[in-house]
Amino acid sequence: MMENNYMKNESKITKQDNFQIADQIFQSRLMLGTGRYKNTQEAISSIKASKASIITVAIRRMQNSKNIGKSSLIDVLNWQKLWLLPNTAGCETADEAIRIASLGMEINKKIGQTNNKFIKLEVISDSNYLLPDPLGTLKAAEYLINKGFIVLPYIYPDPILAKQLEDVGCHAIMPLGSPIGSGQGIKNLHNIQIIIENAKVPIIIDAGIGKASEANHAMEIGATAILINTAIAKSSDPNIMAESMKLGVISGRKCYLAGTMQKNSHGKASSPNEGILKVI
């Protein structure tokens, strides 16, 4: 819900605007993926330009925790300043996602984040549009939560499913704006607004954002954070695009906190009628 108390909002805007998932507090509301970059150096410099706090990495790309220390991206990032969000990308069933998630926790321990139980849950059996499986996601989420994981499920923006996942104990919900890597922006705006309105946990828009204006819009409607990968990695200049997305997220968040004016069907003069000089 939009906030209207100016003094309350002013204090929110001037102080550091962190957000929280479970017991972890993060400074940046822009989260980054690590796939599709031309090379490791380009990924590192983009992450630096974005000022992101949370970085997600597909567990399958890491193959197994024994590969840690063999010149991969995960070896060269500073995990004292960044938070790793392992994800189950590539898993087609709930059982497969559950097995991969367990490996993710082991990787967290390998990089020194022994208290990190976060997992981005993806269960995708649709190879064409890459839409997540709602039943498989719910099944895997329940199991992983019972095993102590902090589960962030990636879902189609279905308000009922989002509430069910929250009710079983998910600490954040990640509805897609449009299909993964499509750059179509937010195609399910109304559903996402309903999810945000009903949620008591962070709502992170994940997938489909192609431009900084789209990231800005997502934050303006009250999203907690944005996760972006392809829009940065496949741009002509990922460093500049990463900074652009950072600024778009910051601007959209401040707009949301400030509270926007009401739309009017007619124009309204910004200057008062009183005191206008009459021409004789």
Side-chain angles (χ1 to χ4, degrees), residues 224-278:
T224 307
I226 307 291
L227 196 155
I228 298 175
N229 186 180
T230 308
I232 295 175
K234 302 306 289 184
S235 67
S236 299
D237 192 321
N239 286 355
I240 293 177
M241 184 60 78
E243 185 178 10
S244 174
M245 291 295 185
K246 176 193 73 174
L247 295 173
V249 167
I250 293 170
S251 174
R253 175 64 179 173
K254 289 191 175 185
C255 178
Y256 170 74
L257 290 176
T260 56
M261 63 173 284
Q262 278 191 332
K263 291 183 179 180
N264 297 295
S265 57
H266 302 285
K268 290 191 174 182
S270 57
S271 300
N273 292 325
E274 295 81 5
I276 295 177
L277 292 175
K278 293 183 179 180

Side-chain angles (χ1 to χ4, degrees), residues 94-125:
D95 291 342
E96 192 178 9
I98 288 167
R99 291 196 299 272
I100 293 296
S102 298
L103 179 57
M105 193 174 288
E106 292 304 312
I107 291 171
N108 289 338
K109 292 176 183 177
K110 291 282 186 179
I111 64 169
Q113 295 184 2
T114 55
N115 62 330
N116 185 349
K117 298 181 179 180
F118 280 45
I119 188 73
K120 181 191 171 190
L121 176 61
E122 296 186 31
V123 182
I124 300 175
S125 55

Side-chain angles (χ1 to χ4, degrees), residues 19 21 26-34 37 46-47 50-57 82-87 118-120 152 172-174 202-207 209 215 219 224-232 242 245-246 249:
F19 79 103
I21 301 174
F26 304 102
Q27 292 183 357
S28 173
R29 292 175 182 269
L30 174 59
M31 302 160 61
L32 253 59
T34 53
Y37 286 96
S46 297
I47 290 169
S50 75
K51 304 295 184 184
S53 300
I54 301 174
I55 305 299
T56 185
V57 178
L82 298 170
W83 188 256
L84 178 60
L85 175 61
N87 70 65
F118 280 45
I119 188 73
K120 181 191 171 190
L152 288 72
I173 308 295
M174 305 183 74
I203 301 300
I204 301 162
I205 308 302
D206 177 16
I209 298 294
M219 297 304 294
T224 307
I226 307 291
L227 196 155
I228 298 175
N229 186 180
T230 308
I232 295 175
M245 291 295 185
K246 176 193 73 174
V249 167

Side-chain angles (χ1 to χ4, degrees), residues 187-206:
K187 293 296 185 181
N188 302 281
L189 181 61
H190 183 62
N191 280 17
I192 288 175
Q193 286 177 312
I194 294 173
I195 292 172
I196 291 170
E197 181 181 343
N198 291 333
K200 295 180 181 177
V201 297
I203 301 300
I204 301 162
I205 308 302
D206 177 16

